């Protein structure tokens, strides 16, 4: 006991003041770079959803795939809806990157080819997930909102590219750019959705023929046909 009557010595008081107990971190808080861990979880979520389908995907399965805990997953995605919504955002971010082109050097045929190439073996999971998202969007409002927002942005950007081509005389201008963009989206969406199901229909050679056909359809009418 010291002079003040306390059972704690001055030395101990000083130690407790200088070394306060640190509060516990959030449950499941990951160690390391946050963005890298989120990207890892997102990749796992895409793979699990592609393999298990929307219904079969779960936070637990995503955690198991990376060798982590469910707490680690919930640190980034509070629930399954939030996780799947993030998956949808990732899918559309890749589509948006397609349209990040210089309008002054427009080559719409190459642009559409990039769109179809996204369905190659390295990106198959994304398209399998996309099919799952479309199938459940009617009853999952959060997913529907992501699809609607990004689809509208995608069509708007494509319409701007088509409009530039019309001004340059490389794309027919007797049909509004917005309608042509909508038609192009419908064509490519249909092809992309069917490619994993009918791979023999979409050989590299036939894809080139399909793209050439699209180029013919949107090309300005020739002077001889007027």
């Amino acid at each position: 006991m010291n002079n003040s009557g306390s059972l704690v010595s001055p030395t101990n008081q000083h130690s407790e003041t200088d070394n306060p107990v640190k509060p516990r971190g959030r449950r499941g808080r990951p160690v390391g770079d946050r963005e890298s861990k989120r990207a890892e979880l997102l990749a796992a979520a895409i793979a699990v959803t592609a393999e298990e389908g929307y219904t079969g995907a779960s936070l637990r399965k995503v955690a198991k795939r990376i060798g982590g805990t469910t707490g680690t997953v919930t640190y980034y995605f509070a629930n399954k809806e939030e996780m799947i919504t993030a998956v949808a955002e990732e899918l559309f971010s890749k589509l948006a990157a397609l349209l990040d082109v210089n309008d002054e050097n427009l080559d719409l045929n190459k642009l559409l080819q990039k769109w179809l190439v996204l369905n190659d073996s390295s990106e198959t999971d994304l398209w399998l997930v996309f099919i799952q998202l479309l199938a459940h969007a009617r009853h999952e409002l959060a997913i529907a909102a992501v699809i609607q927002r990004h689809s509208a942005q995608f069509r708007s950007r494509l319409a701007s590219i088509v409009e530039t081509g019309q001004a340059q005389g490389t794309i027919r201008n007797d049909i509004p750019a917005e309608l042509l963009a909508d038609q192009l989206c419908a064509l490519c969406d249909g092809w992309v959705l069917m490619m994993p199901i009918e791979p023999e229909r979409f050989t590299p050679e036939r894809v080139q023929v399909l793209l050439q056909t699209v180029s013919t359809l949107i090309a300005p009418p020739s002077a001889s046909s007027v």
Side-chain angles (χ1 to χ4, degrees), residues 74-108:
T74 56
Y75 182 80
Y76 293 91
F77 309 114
N79 49 46
K80 177 177 175 177
E81 179 184 72
E82 189 174 302
M83 180 180 72
I84 297 299
T85 299
V87 167
E89 293 283 0
E90 174 70 7
L91 171 62
F92 278 100
S93 71
K94 288 183 175 291
L95 288 176
L98 277 178
L99 297 184
D100 186 19
V101 296
N102 185 345
D103 291 0
E104 297 300 320
N105 299 308
L106 176 69
D107 188 332
L108 192 56

Side-chain angles (χ1 to χ4, degrees), residues 111-126:
L111 177 64
L112 297 179
Q113 186 172 21
K114 281 185 180 180
W115 194 339
L116 297 181
V117 168
L118 264 182
N119 195 51
D120 66 16
S121 59
S122 65
E123 301 289 355
T124 298
D125 281 358
L126 283 176

Side-chain angles (χ1 to χ4, degrees), residues 13-26:
Q13 286 180 325
H14 180 75
S15 177
E16 289 177 0
T17 301
D18 290 351
N19 299 284
V21 177
K22 294 182 180 180
R24 290 184 178 182
R26 183 175 174 180

Side-chain angles (χ1 to χ4, degrees), residues 194-214:
M194 295 306 296
M195 286 175 84
I197 301 170
E198 299 181 282
E200 69 284 352
R201 177 182 162 200
F202 296 96
T203 62
E205 295 76 18
R206 194 162 190 274
V207 166
Q208 290 302 316
V209 174
L210 290 171
L211 291 172
Q212 290 168 8
T213 302
V214 171

